[in-house]
């Protein structure tokens, strides 16, 4: 057995993951790490430990080990990193341990929370009703913090000073990356996307990894049934019908991640009016230095990356939603196109158990699986551990484009590729403490630090979510090959907020699930579904407008609701 297959064996034995959708972290079932753990006790390391510089790289120059200390190294302090169980947990603990060897005056505590729901609850309780941050952790999943405290609005999270703006840090030196600037570890387009996800003028997190969604397919079944990888949407539809005729009840195993396929369809329609949803010169939040690409923009079908540097306007999008609602002709076409494939998904796919969907693919009950990169490592491990006569060859393909697009839609379907591990810094008043927090953050976001997180994660049975966003970090050849299949040629803008998918309150979510199930089993039409969705969608958007303090005039400043 090769070294990598041993790693995969550990990965399989250590985790059976149930991913809860693409939200930055999954919902792990392994309970071994659910207690809060202090991974470094702050004791002075053994003689020579301080010589271990830069994320376990023994060749790193001693002068970069501690960087330019900008805090009182004679004073003890503690940094709390609160994460969700399973993804990168072992790597984060190792990073905390190695960092404290470099800075014994600072203890790093890795606080592991069991799952997504528990994490949201923790964010609410740790901040308190008045937003007091004294008991809050220092480094968090920023997307879950925003979901817990500001209805998912990152701009409000900045306005209320829950999160630190990391934009200025980009031009600071990262002492753990050969003295380069922090921004030098990233592709420029990824930094633009990170800014866009934070409102355009600020940055809530630095990109750590990417998450993609693709169709997995069983190459052995396709060969046995005389099928080829589909080149068009229509060919995918025909393959599904052929497989069903051959006895496969559910040709595609799918769960909530399938909504990304619908987003790709929506992108083919909404990108034709994309200029309506971006910040414009004259808007109150317009920033010439970061939003230049927005000026006079019109989508160019000959350049699928032409909009990658655009900055969205939440206010303009909310105004469009209020004026147009969910029941539009464009949304009708999106859902009608989506259901052409979704009718081959399992019953109640919207609430399906992801682990069961993966099992259906691995056992051959479903020849295809619509799933995210965060489960590619698990599936690779599972298949490698099956009895030899049960193993099969598999690969992935991206969303196939229309041969004949619906009226008003572009033919090309762009894939989805977003940031997975959304790690942010909580803004606190203690300047000395914040300098330590920033330094540890830089350590994790250096090439050596990120490489340590990936390697330690895989070696200890945790999962990685997708390809690294930090230059110079690669996975093993076998896993990297699988991950490459999740990188699309063109990246779709997510217009899910406009289609209304899951854009309802928690109380209304069961009604939404019922609507989707009835649509997919043919009980109602897309028009009927959207008309029933409309009042729930409107209520959800009105609350978003209220929380953000938007007057729906983008040229005037807004103040978030108290």
């Amino acid at each position: 057995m090769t070294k990598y297959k041993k790693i995969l064996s550990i990965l399989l034995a250590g985790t059976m993951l149930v991913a809860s959708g693409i939200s930055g972290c999954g919902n792990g079932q392994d309970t071994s790490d659910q207690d809060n753990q202090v991974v470094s006790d702050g004791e002075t390391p053994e003689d020579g430990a301080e010589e271990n510089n830069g994320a376990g790289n023994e060749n790193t120059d001693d002068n970069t080990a501690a960087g330019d200390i900008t805090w009182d190294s004679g004073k003890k302090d503690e940094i709390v990193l609160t994460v969700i169980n399973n993804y990168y947990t072992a790597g984060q603990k190792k990073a905390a341990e190695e960092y404290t060897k470099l800075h014994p005056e600072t203890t790093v505590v890795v606080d592991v929370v069991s799952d997504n729901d528990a994490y949201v609850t923790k964010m609410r309780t740790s901040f308190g009703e008045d937003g007091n941050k004294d008991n809050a952790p220092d480094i968090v999943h920023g997307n879950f913090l925003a979901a817990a405290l500001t209805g998912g609005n990152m701009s409000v999270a900045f306005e209320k000073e829950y999160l630190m703006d990391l934009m200025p840090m980009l031009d600071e030196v990262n002492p753990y990356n050969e003295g380069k600037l922090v921004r030098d570890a990233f592709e420029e387009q990824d930094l633009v996307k990170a800014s866009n996800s934070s409102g355009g003028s600020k940055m809530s997190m630095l990109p750590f990894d990417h998450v993609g969604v693709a169709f997995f397919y069983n190459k052995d079944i396709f060969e046995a049934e005389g099928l080829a990888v589909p080149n068009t949407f229509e060919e995918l539809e025909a393959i599904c019908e052929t497989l069903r005729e051959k006895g496969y009840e559910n040709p595609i195993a799918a769960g909530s991640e399938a909504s990304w396929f619908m987003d790709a369809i929506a992108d083919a329609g909404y990108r034709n009016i994309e200029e309506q949803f971006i910040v414009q010169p004259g808007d109150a939040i317009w920033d010439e230095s970061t939003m230049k690409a927005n000026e006079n923009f019109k989508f160019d079908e000959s350049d699928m990356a032409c909009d990658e540097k655009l900055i969205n306007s939440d206010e303009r999008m909310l105004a469009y939603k209020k004026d147009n609602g969910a029941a539009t002709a464009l949304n009708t076409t999106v859902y009608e196109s989506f259901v052409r494939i979704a009718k081959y998904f399992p019953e109640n796919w919207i609430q399906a158990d992801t682990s069961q969907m993966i099992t259906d693919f691995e056992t051959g009950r479903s020849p295809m699986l619509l799933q995210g990169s965060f489960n590619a490592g698990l599936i690779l491990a599972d298949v490698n551990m099956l009895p030899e006569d049960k193993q099969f060859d598999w690969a992935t393909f991206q969303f196939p484009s229309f041969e004949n697009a619906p009226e008003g839609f572009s033919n090309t379907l762009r894939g989805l590729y977003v940031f997975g591990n959304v790690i942010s810094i909580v803004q606190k008043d203690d300047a000395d403490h914040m300098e330590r927090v920033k330094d540890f953050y830089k350590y994790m976001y250096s090439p050596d630090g990120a490489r340590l997180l990936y390697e330690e994660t895989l070696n200890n049975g945790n999962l990685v979510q997708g390809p690294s966003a930090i230059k110079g970090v690669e996975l093993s050849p076998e896993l990297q090959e699988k991950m490459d299949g999740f990188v699309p040629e063109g990246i779709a803008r997510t217009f899910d907020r406009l289609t209304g998918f899951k854009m309802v309150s928690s109380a209304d979510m069961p009604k939404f699930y019922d609507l989707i199930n009835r649509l997919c089993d043919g009980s109602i039409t897309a028009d009927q579904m959207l008309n029933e969705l409309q009042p729930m969608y409107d209520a959800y958007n009105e609350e978003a407008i209220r929380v953000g303090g938007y007057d729906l005039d983008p040229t005037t400043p807004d103040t978030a609701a108290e």
Side-chain angles (χ1 to χ4, degrees):
M1 181 179 286
T2 67
K3 178 180 178 183
Y4 187 62
K5 286 191 176 179
K6 290 180 181 177
I7 292 173
L8 290 173
S9 299
I10 297 170
L11 189 153
L12 175 61
T15 60
M16 281 302 292
L17 178 70
V18 179
S20 61
I22 301 162
S23 54
C25 276
N27 180 3
Q29 300 302 302
D30 180 357
T31 60
S32 61
D33 290 324
Q34 290 182 10
D35 294 329
N36 296 351
Q37 299 197 25
V38 179
V39 301
S40 175
D41 61 10
E43 298 286 334
T44 302
E46 297 177 2
D47 290 343
E50 290 135 316
E51 306 269 329
N52 181 14
N53 304 316
N57 183 346
E58 296 176 359
N59 296 321
T60 305
D61 181 29
D62 287 353
N63 292 329
T64 68
D68 295 326
I69 302 299
T70 53
W71 60 88
D72 183 359
S73 60
K75 183 176 70 174
K76 296 284 187 179
D77 197 4
E78 180 179 275
I79 297 170
V80 178
L81 165 63
T82 298
V83 296
I84 296 174
N85 184 52
N86 216 325
Y87 285 109
Y88 299 107
T89 308
Q92 288 156 339
K93 291 178 182 177
K94 183 65 174 178
E97 177 185 335
E98 293 299 320
Y99 181 82
T100 300
K101 290 178 182 179
L102 298 176
H103 302 289
E105 74 280 4
T106 303
T107 299
V108 178
V109 176
V110 179
D111 168 27
V112 183
V113 180
S114 60
D115 56 41
N116 296 357
D117 291 339
Y119 198 92
V120 169
T121 299
K122 186 179 183 73
M123 291 299 100
R124 288 175 179 150
T125 56
S126 64
F127 276 77
E129 293 183 4
D130 59 354
N132 187 297
K133 296 173 285 189
D134 291 345
N135 296 319
D138 300 297
I139 303 177
V140 300
H141 294 297
N143 51 340
F144 285 100
L145 179 146
L149 302 178
T150 66
N153 191 314
M154 216 47 102
S155 298
V156 175
F158 285 123
E159 188 172 336
K160 291 183 177 292
E161 297 186 339
Y162 294 145
L163 294 179
M164 171 185 280
D165 177 15
L166 303 183
M167 190 79 79
M169 194 168 75
L170 292 175
D171 293 313
E172 295 178 7
V173 169
N174 187 340
Y176 309 103
N177 189 16
E178 300 175 345
K180 297 177 182 177
L181 298 181
V182 170
R183 69 167 61 250
D184 293 335
F186 310 98
E187 299 293 346
E188 183 61 30
Q189 63 266 28
D190 280 345
L191 295 178
V192 172
K193 287 167 57 182
S195 176
N196 191 21
S197 68
S198 307
S201 59
K202 298 181 185 295
M203 190 169 292
S204 65
M205 54 83 184
L206 297 182
F208 185 79
D209 58 11
H210 292 101
V211 169
V213 167
F215 286 94
F216 295 60
Y217 72 102
N218 186 316
K219 295 175 74 173
D220 295 350
I221 291 178
F222 265 52
E223 183 177 351
E225 302 294 355
L227 302 173
V229 173
N231 292 313
T232 67
F233 186 98
E234 291 83 353
E235 287 179 4
L236 173 61
E237 189 176 12
I239 286 171
C240 288
E241 184 59 31
T242 297
L243 288 169
R244 181 160 284 176
E245 290 172 354
K246 290 180 176 292
Y248 295 96
E249 182 179 357
N250 301 313
I252 302 175
S256 61
E257 297 83 6
S259 65
W260 275 29
F261 182 49
M262 188 177 71
D263 286 347
I265 296 171
D267 173 77
Y270 274 105
R271 68 178 182 244
N272 294 318
I273 56 171
E274 189 170 9
E275 64 275 7
Q276 296 184 37
F277 313 121
I278 61 178
V279 183
Q280 302 285 353
D283 286 2
I285 64 171
W286 174 260
D287 184 334
E288 179 78 13
S289 64
T290 61
M291 303 176 184
K292 183 69 175 175
N294 285 25
E295 284 192 277
N296 303 314
F297 174 80
K298 187 65 181 177
F299 195 87
D300 179 2
E301 286 292 325
S302 69
D303 179 7
M304 286 294 137
C306 66
D307 58 351
E308 68 179 5
K309 294 184 178 180
L310 297 184
I311 303 297
N312 287 341
S313 168
D314 289 339
E315 188 166 18
R316 286 182 177 274
M317 194 167 285
L318 283 166
Y320 177 90
K321 290 162 68 175
K322 185 176 179 67
D323 290 343
N324 294 276
T328 65
L330 199 159
N331 280 345
T332 295
T333 303
V334 169
Y335 281 95
E336 285 177 343
S337 300
F338 174 68
V339 81
R340 288 167 59 183
I341 305 300
K343 66 183 180 183
Y344 298 103
F345 296 170
E347 183 180 355
N348 193 28
W349 63 268
I350 187 67
Q351 294 179 278
D353 180 345
T354 299
S355 63
Q356 182 59 53
M357 297 302 100
I358 291 173
T359 298
D360 287 350
F361 176 68
E362 292 174 349
T363 57
R365 285 195 289 269
S366 292
M368 289 181 283
L369 170 69
L370 186 49
Q371 189 49 241
S373 59
F374 41 80
N375 274 322
L378 175 64
I379 293 169
L380 181 59
D382 285 353
V383 173
N384 283 352
M385 291 296 291
L386 288 172
E388 190 169 340
D389 64 336
K390 301 293 185 183
Q391 292 183 16
F392 61 93
D393 195 9
W394 63 274
T396 62
F397 61 86
Q398 276 294 318
F399 303 153
S401 296
F402 290 110
E403 182 176 0
N404 298 296
E407 185 177 355
F409 280 58
S410 301
N411 280 330
T412 303
L413 292 189
R414 299 190 294 179
L416 276 290
Y417 200 56
V418 300
F419 300 130
N421 204 33
V422 180
I423 301 294
S424 306
I425 295 177
V426 174
Q427 180 65 57
K428 296 185 178 179
D429 296 332
D430 185 336
D432 183 89
H433 179 71
M434 293 307 297
E435 287 300 316
R436 299 175 196 246
V437 173
K438 286 169 56 182
D439 194 71
F440 177 61
Y441 192 94
K442 291 176 182 178
Y443 179 85
M444 290 194 295
Y445 278 75
S446 67
D448 282 344
R451 194 174 297 112
L452 174 68
L453 259 70
Y454 268 87
E455 291 176 354
E456 196 72 17
T457 291
L458 288 170
N459 282 330
N460 284 272
N462 294 149
L463 297 176
V464 299
Q465 297 198 111
S468 175
I470 297 173
K471 295 177 182 177
V473 181
E474 294 185 359
L475 304 176
S476 71
E478 188 178 12
L479 184 54
Q480 187 68 49
E481 180 184 9
K482 300 297 187 186
M483 290 297 187
D484 287 344
F486 294 95
V487 183
E489 291 185 14
I491 300 173
R493 307 277 282 188
T494 51
F495 293 107
D496 56 312
R497 287 183 288 175
L498 301 176
T499 63
F501 191 86
K502 286 192 174 181
M503 295 294 107
V504 302
S505 68
S506 298
D508 284 334
M509 198 61 73
K511 297 178 184 177
F512 174 77
Y513 292 151
D514 179 64
L515 286 175
I516 292 296
N517 286 330
R518 288 159 60 201
L519 173 68
C520 290
D521 70 17
S523 300
I524 56 175
T525 66
D527 279 335
Q528 291 170 328
M529 187 275 292
L530 288 166
N531 283 322
E532 290 190 46
L533 173 63
Q534 186 71 59
M536 296 182 280
Y537 178 82
D538 287 343
Y540 184 86
N541 291 328
E542 287 299 327
E543 178 61 11
I545 292 169
R546 185 196 69 78
V547 170
Y550 295 115
D551 62 4
L552 301 188
D553 178 358
T555 65
T556 59
D558 301 299
T559 302
E562 294 298 330

